Amino acid sequence: MALSRIWSAFIIVAILVAAIKCFFFGQSDIFNWMVVGKSGDEGNPLKVDGVIETCWTAVNICLKLVGIMALFMGFMSIAEKAGGIRMLSKIIGPFFSKLFPEVPKGHPATGHMVMNFSANLLGLDNAATPFGLKAMESLQELNPNKDTASNAQIMFLCLHASGLTLIPVSIIAVRASLNSANPTEIFIPCMIATFVATVAAMLIVSFKQRINILQPVILSWILGLSAVIAAMVLYLTSLSSTGLQSFSGILSNGILLLIFLLIVLGGLYKNVNIFDAFIEGAKGGFDTAVRIIPYLVGMLVAISLLRTSGTFDLVINGMKSVCAFLGADTRFIDGIPTALIKPLSGGGARGMMIDTMTVHGPDSFAGRLSSILQGSSDTTFYVIAVYFGAVNIKNTRYAVGAMLLADLVGVCTAIGLCYLFFG
């Protein structure tokens, strides 16, 4: 019901704002923009897709996802038949058994979640989605109420949506392309912000589910991960911009290819019919990609209406007015559009980040803040629509509220870090 109400509110608010602009302020083209879109102009260089174009975009996303889903879920099928997922579940089991008490020890869902988190950590978005959808399907098998989100599914999605990423390569690349004097300077703030958001998500859901975070196993894993990230930060800060991007490419893509190699070798060792297993898993990937189309169309259309109606602009201008009235520093407001759009649309947030850096400069306070905000969380509503839609969950319970609260923690942390690092 929460998601239903939010989705309805998006559409109602967008159409009401557009109607007021049309009938009271003479913006006669706004309804046309909302349906068929508009091209960029001097005042707003961003091209905005209307409802029709957004529907095509949603289907194109799913069509592109078909091949990726088929590839990764095919390899996942080989790994399952070879026992690799079960072995991974046993390794991470002591930690996950405390954080996901409803998931039996050694269950394949644990291995699927680990693969998803690892792909996110390495910035492998194409791999993270198939692994995540497979994890949701595995958790759905344990769910006694098939149309209501389980505790384990909520914990998994909240941790996933916090977007813990080791190196924000795409953001660094954009900053470099816009002639930033130091494209990698946002690396440490991005990592800290996304790590804080992930811990916040874990704490929020744990409090709701009455999970004791102070258990030695959980604390040791969190402290251990913190130590690894700190060591990685110390090493990566010694690299140049070119060296950092090169290292990231070797690390992320090299590990992905290593996983493929280990899966095939494991399958051969266990005498698995590798190609048949791959085809079996790939068919499931195709079915999953097609099944999420209605959910993705619905969510992206609502987001498109909000953008083209100018609702986001009203919110930003209102925030500026309030801050100015209170005498507070308003520099951070120019970077906030990225934070507002990020939970709704990854592509939209990326476009807003680029627009902010183009208008204000990549090394301006707003440009740096938009970069940190872009790297501090994931696309919450996209995640909700795709992942819950893939397993036909209707009642998301408190998942939306918990994910948005974790996003808020990440946004506040990003703003604080921007002031701390860049004044």
Side-chain angles (χ1 to χ4, degrees):
M1 288 300 293
L3 183 58
S4 177
R5 289 167 182 162
I6 290 173
W7 186 78
S8 301
F10 284 173
I11 294 176
I12 293 170
V13 170
I15 293 176
L16 287 178
V17 169
I20 292 171
K21 287 187 172 184
C22 179
F23 298 117
F24 293 93
F25 294 93
Q27 295 188 17
S28 56
D29 290 335
I30 194 164
F31 291 151
N32 186 56
W33 295 343
M34 294 175 72
V35 176
V36 301
K38 68 170 183 174
S39 57
D41 51 38
E42 293 183 1
N44 185 4
L46 289 177
K47 177 183 179 293
V48 179
D49 293 337
V51 168
I52 295 175
E53 187 73 26
T54 299
C55 292
W56 297 339
T57 300
V59 174
N60 285 334
I61 290 173
C62 292
L63 288 176
K64 291 178 181 178
L65 193 58
V66 166
I68 298 169
M69 288 287 295
L71 171 66
F72 284 100
M73 293 186 78
F75 273 99
M76 288 285 282
S77 177
I78 299 172
E80 286 182 359
K81 293 182 182 299
I85 299 298
R86 189 163 51 252
M87 182 180 69
L88 193 60
S89 300
K90 289 181 179 179
I91 295 173
I92 201 76
F95 173 58
F96 270 32
S97 65
K98 304 297 182 183
L99 210 56
F100 298 88
E102 297 176 355
V103 179
K105 291 184 179 180
H107 193 276
T110 302
H112 297 151
M113 288 189 287
V114 172
M115 296 291 282
N116 171 261
F117 293 145
S118 300
N120 261 339
L121 192 67
L122 296 171
L124 300 172
D125 296 336
N126 290 340
T129 299
F131 291 149
L133 290 174
K134 188 64 177 178
M136 284 295 284
E137 291 176 357
S138 298
L139 293 172
Q140 184 71 347
E141 295 174 2
L142 302 171
N143 188 2
N145 193 348
K146 299 302 183 184
D147 65 348
T148 301
S150 66
N151 285 346
Q153 287 174 323
I154 293 174
M155 175 66 83
F156 166 65
L157 271 198
C158 287
L159 292 176
H160 169 78
S162 62
L164 180 60
T165 304
L166 192 62
I167 308 172
V169 179
S170 61
I171 299 173
I172 292 172
V174 169
R175 289 177 55 79
S177 69
L178 294 175
N179 300 317
S180 169
N182 186 3
T184 62
E185 65 184 354
I186 49 86
F187 158 63
I188 294 179
C190 274
M191 181 178 288
I192 296 174
T194 188
F195 183 68
V196 170
T198 300
V199 172
M202 183 177 64
L203 292 175
I204 291 166
V205 180
S206 296
F207 175 79
K208 188 71 176 178
Q209 297 181 3
R210 298 183 179 179
I211 297 173
N212 181 15
I213 291 295
L214 299 179
Q215 297 177 76
V217 173
I218 295 179
L219 288 178
S220 61
W221 273 87
I222 293 175
L223 293 175
L225 181 59
S226 301
V228 170
I229 290 177
M232 188 67 72
V233 167
L234 289 176
Y235 172 70
L236 294 176
T237 50
S238 66
L239 300 178
S240 64
S241 176
T242 304
L244 180 60
Q245 293 188 44
S246 175
F247 175 82
S248 173
I250 293 173
L251 179 68
S252 57
N253 297 317
I255 288 179
L256 180 61
L257 293 174
L258 177 62
I259 290 173
F260 287 170
L261 176 63
L262 292 176
I263 288 174
V264 171
L265 292 177
L268 291 173
Y269 178 75
K270 292 289 185 177
N271 293 319
V272 173
N273 190 329
I274 294 178
F275 190 69
D276 284 352
F278 176 86
I279 296 300
E280 182 182 336
K283 289 178 180 178
F286 177 84
D287 294 339
T288 301
V290 172
R291 192 164 61 243
I292 65 177
I293 290 178
Y295 299 90
L296 196 56
V297 168
M299 188 57 67
L300 292 184
V301 163
I303 293 166
S304 172
L305 290 173
L306 280 176
R307 293 184 62 197
T308 51
S309 66
T311 303
F312 286 133
D313 295 334
L314 290 176
V315 173
I316 295 300
N317 292 332
M319 291 177 65
K320 278 189 175 181
S321 299
V322 170
C323 288
F325 177 77
L326 296 175
D329 184 34
T330 60
R331 288 183 299 162
F332 75 96
I333 300 294
D334 291 321
I336 288 297
T338 302
L340 292 179
I341 296 179
K342 187 63 188 285
L344 305 173
S345 168
R350 188 178 299 107
M352 189 59 70
M353 175 190 71
I354 293 172
D355 179 60
T356 300
M357 287 194 285
T358 301
V359 174
H360 299 278
D363 295 326
S364 65
F365 188 88
R368 288 163 170 162
L369 176 58
S370 65
S371 300
I372 300 172
L373 290 169
Q374 174 70 6
S376 65
S377 64
D378 208 335
T379 50
T380 297
F381 286 101
Y382 172 87
V383 167
I384 289 170
V386 170
Y387 284 73
F388 280 133
V391 292
N392 296 315
I393 292 290
K394 303 296 189 300
N395 183 3
T396 60
R397 298 169 66 198
Y398 52 87
V400 177
M403 293 163 79
L404 290 178
L405 186 56
D407 284 345
L408 179 61
V409 171
V411 169
C412 293
T413 302
I415 294 172
L417 289 169
C418 196
Y419 278 104
L420 178 65
F421 279 82
F422 309 115

